Amino acid sequence: MNDSMIFQAANTVSLFCRLTIHTKKELPLRSSEIGLLIYTVKAETPVTPAMAADYFKVSKPMIAGMVKHLAAAGYLQKQPSQEDKRSYLLVPTQAAEHLTKSVYDEYFKDMQLLSENMGAAHFTRLLLLLDEANDILLKNK
């Protein structure tokens, strides 16, 4: 692949990211913290910091920093795990539930739009290709 194609690919990916990442200026949290709150609120089973780190493909210390800030801001509580005394569960508060409800649709509206307009087959292919790309990038980090 030549330099021109690499440059165009970088621009295409950059534009896609800019178009699909929404930040509301009035939100009291960073986008990554909102993501963690959505994950803890929507999870079917209680979430631990290790589960969150695996899910977001980040380090446990990065999750620990977010948890510390979210707990201090009143969005998460740390509940000792009954199964593993060394760990704790991330329990969203009512404030987290309320904030998540208010931003959830906004955060996922672009994916809904793509799904509806691309059709199931193309949207699924897009996701599979993005998963493959993410795997390649994660292996090289």
Side-chain angles (χ1 to χ4, degrees):
M1 190 173 288
N2 64 37
D3 286 348
S4 177
M5 288 181 77
I6 296 291
F7 182 76
Q8 181 57 43
N11 285 334
T12 299
V13 170
S14 178
L15 177 60
F16 180 81
C17 291
R18 287 193 313 272
L19 291 172
T20 58
I21 295 195
H22 300 282
T23 56
K24 290 176 131 184
K25 301 282 187 223
E26 68 275 7
L27 288 178
L29 303 171
R30 296 185 308 250
S31 180
S32 58
E33 293 168 336
I34 295 285
L36 180 57
L37 282 184
I38 290 171
Y39 177 60
T40 60
V41 168
K42 298 291 184 180
E44 293 181 12
T45 59
V47 174
T48 64
M51 290 168 60
D54 285 345
Y55 181 82
F56 289 107
K57 308 285 190 249
V58 297
S59 68
K60 286 186 212 174
M62 184 177 284
I63 294 294
M66 284 192 276
V67 168
K68 182 178 180 180
H69 182 253
L70 291 169
Y75 292 103
L76 280 180
Q77 294 177 339
K78 298 182 340 183
Q79 182 181 70
S81 172
Q82 299 300 319
E83 293 145 14
D84 182 356
K85 301 297 181 193
R86 300 168 295 162
S87 187
Y88 55 90
L89 304 176
L90 304 176
V91 180
T93 64
Q94 277 191 320
E97 300 265 353
H98 178 72
L99 181 61
T100 297
K101 187 175 183 178
S102 73
V103 299
Y104 186 81
D105 290 341
E106 178 70 21
Y107 268 71
F108 295 105
K109 74 178 183 180
D110 290 326
M111 292 305 112
Q112 185 67 36
L113 180 69
L114 290 174
S115 173
E116 291 168 0
N117 287 274
M118 292 177 81
H122 281 72
F123 186 68
T124 300
R125 181 161 161 67
L126 172 66
L127 296 180
L128 291 171
L129 289 170
L130 287 170
D131 281 340
E132 183 178 342
N134 287 336
D135 287 344
I136 291 167
L137 294 171
L138 284 168
K139 286 178 186 171
N140 287 290
K141 291 270 178 200

mmCIF file of all heavy atoms in Angstrom, residues 21 26 39 49 59 64 73-74 98 133 135 137:
data_model
loop_
_atom_site.group_PDB
_atom_site.id
_atom_site.type_symbol
_atom_site.label_atom_id
_atom_site.label_comp_id
_atom_site.label_asym_id
_atom_site.label_seq_id
_atom_site.Cartn_x
_atom_site.Cartn_y
_atom_site.Cartn_z
ATOM 1 N N ILE A 21 -17.943 10.270 17.920
ATOM 2 C CA ILE A 21 -17.659 10.529 19.327
ATOM 3 C C ILE A 21 -18.329 11.842 19.703
ATOM 4 O O ILE A 21 -18.031 12.890 19.147
ATOM 5 C CB ILE A 21 -16.153 10.571 19.613
ATOM 6 C CG1 ILE A 21 -15.582 9.206 19.348
ATOM 7 C CG2 ILE A 21 -15.882 11.073 21.021
ATOM 8 C CD1 ILE A 21 -14.232 8.936 19.876
ATOM 9 N N GLU A 26 -21.607 20.005 28.905
ATOM 10 C CA GLU A 26 -22.145 20.197 30.241
ATOM 11 C C GLU A 26 -22.070 18.943 31.117
ATOM 12 O O GLU A 26 -22.478 18.978 32.271
ATOM 13 C CB GLU A 26 -23.596 20.706 30.162
ATOM 14 C CG GLU A 26 -24.595 19.705 29.619
ATOM 15 C CD GLU A 26 -24.691 19.672 28.096
ATOM 16 O OE1 GLU A 26 -23.895 20.331 27.406
ATOM 17 O OE2 GLU A 26 -25.563 18.959 27.585
ATOM 18 N N TYR A 39 -21.503 0.889 31.338
ATOM 19 C CA TYR A 39 -21.180 -0.540 31.474
ATOM 20 C C TYR A 39 -21.681 -1.094 32.805
ATOM 21 O O TYR A 39 -22.303 -2.161 32.843
ATOM 22 C CB TYR A 39 -19.664 -0.738 31.323
ATOM 23 C CG TYR A 39 -19.205 -2.156 31.503
ATOM 24 C CD1 TYR A 39 -19.658 -3.174 30.675
ATOM 25 C CD2 TYR A 39 -18.299 -2.487 32.502
ATOM 26 C CE1 TYR A 39 -19.225 -4.486 30.844
ATOM 27 C CE2 TYR A 39 -17.858 -3.783 32.675
ATOM 28 C CZ TYR A 39 -18.323 -4.784 31.839
ATOM 29 O OH TYR A 39 -17.887 -6.078 32.008
ATOM 30 N N PRO A 49 -13.592 -4.300 38.978
ATOM 31 C CA PRO A 49 -12.621 -3.517 38.208
ATOM 32 C C PRO A 49 -11.892 -4.358 37.150
ATOM 33 O O PRO A 49 -11.646 -3.872 36.044
ATOM 34 C CB PRO A 49 -11.655 -3.010 39.280
ATOM 35 C CG PRO A 49 -12.491 -2.932 40.514
ATOM 36 C CD PRO A 49 -13.408 -4.125 40.424
ATOM 37 N N SER A 59 -5.795 -0.872 31.337
ATOM 38 C CA SER A 59 -5.154 -1.412 32.529
ATOM 39 C C SER A 59 -6.063 -1.273 33.756
ATOM 40 O O SER A 59 -6.924 -0.392 33.812
ATOM 41 C CB SER A 59 -3.834 -0.686 32.788
ATOM 42 O OG SER A 59 -4.088 0.660 33.158
ATOM 43 N N ALA A 64 -9.027 1.861 38.081
ATOM 44 C CA ALA A 64 -8.985 2.277 39.488
ATOM 45 C C ALA A 64 -9.058 3.801 39.619
ATOM 46 O O ALA A 64 -9.751 4.327 40.495
ATOM 47 C CB ALA A 64 -7.726 1.741 40.165
ATOM 48 N N ALA A 73 -17.333 11.425 43.280
ATOM 49 C CA ALA A 73 -18.382 12.270 42.706
ATOM 50 C C ALA A 73 -19.785 11.728 42.992
ATOM 51 O O ALA A 73 -20.774 12.345 42.606
ATOM 52 C CB ALA A 73 -18.168 12.403 41.197
ATOM 53 N N GLY A 74 -19.863 10.572 43.657
ATOM 54 C CA GLY A 74 -21.165 10.031 44.036
ATOM 55 C C GLY A 74 -21.854 9.180 42.984
ATOM 56 O O GLY A 74 -23.060 8.942 43.074
ATOM 57 N N HIS A 98 -29.378 7.859 36.809
ATOM 58 C CA HIS A 98 -30.010 9.030 36.200
ATOM 59 C C HIS A 98 -29.149 9.586 35.063
ATOM 60 O O HIS A 98 -29.654 9.878 33.969
ATOM 61 C CB HIS A 98 -30.267 10.102 37.265
ATOM 62 C CG HIS A 98 -30.878 11.347 36.715
ATOM 63 N ND1 HIS A 98 -32.177 11.408 36.284
ATOM 64 C CD2 HIS A 98 -30.341 12.565 36.502
ATOM 65 C CE1 HIS A 98 -32.421 12.626 35.824
ATOM 66 N NE2 HIS A 98 -31.326 13.343 35.952
ATOM 67 N N ALA A 133 -9.426 -5.249 13.245
ATOM 68 C CA ALA A 133 -8.461 -4.147 13.315
ATOM 69 C C ALA A 133 -8.062 -3.881 14.765
ATOM 70 O O ALA A 133 -6.872 -3.698 15.064
ATOM 71 C CB ALA A 133 -9.068 -2.892 12.679
ATOM 72 N N ASP A 135 -8.078 -5.993 17.260
ATOM 73 C CA ASP A 135 -7.230 -7.101 17.713
ATOM 74 C C ASP A 135 -5.782 -6.908 17.253
ATOM 75 O O ASP A 135 -4.843 -7.120 18.018
ATOM 76 C CB ASP A 135 -7.763 -8.439 17.208
ATOM 77 C CG ASP A 135 -9.018 -8.898 17.923
ATOM 78 O OD1 ASP A 135 -9.332 -8.355 19.011
ATOM 79 O OD2 ASP A 135 -9.707 -9.800 17.393
ATOM 80 N N LEU A 137 -4.276 -4.069 16.452
ATOM 81 C CA LEU A 137 -3.680 -2.941 17.174
ATOM 82 C C LEU A 137 -3.377 -3.278 18.630
ATOM 83 O O LEU A 137 -2.327 -2.889 19.158
ATOM 84 C CB LEU A 137 -4.593 -1.712 17.086
ATOM 85 C CG LEU A 137 -4.761 -1.129 15.671
ATOM 86 C CD1 LEU A 137 -5.841 -0.062 15.662
ATOM 87 C CD2 LEU A 137 -3.446 -0.593 15.141
#
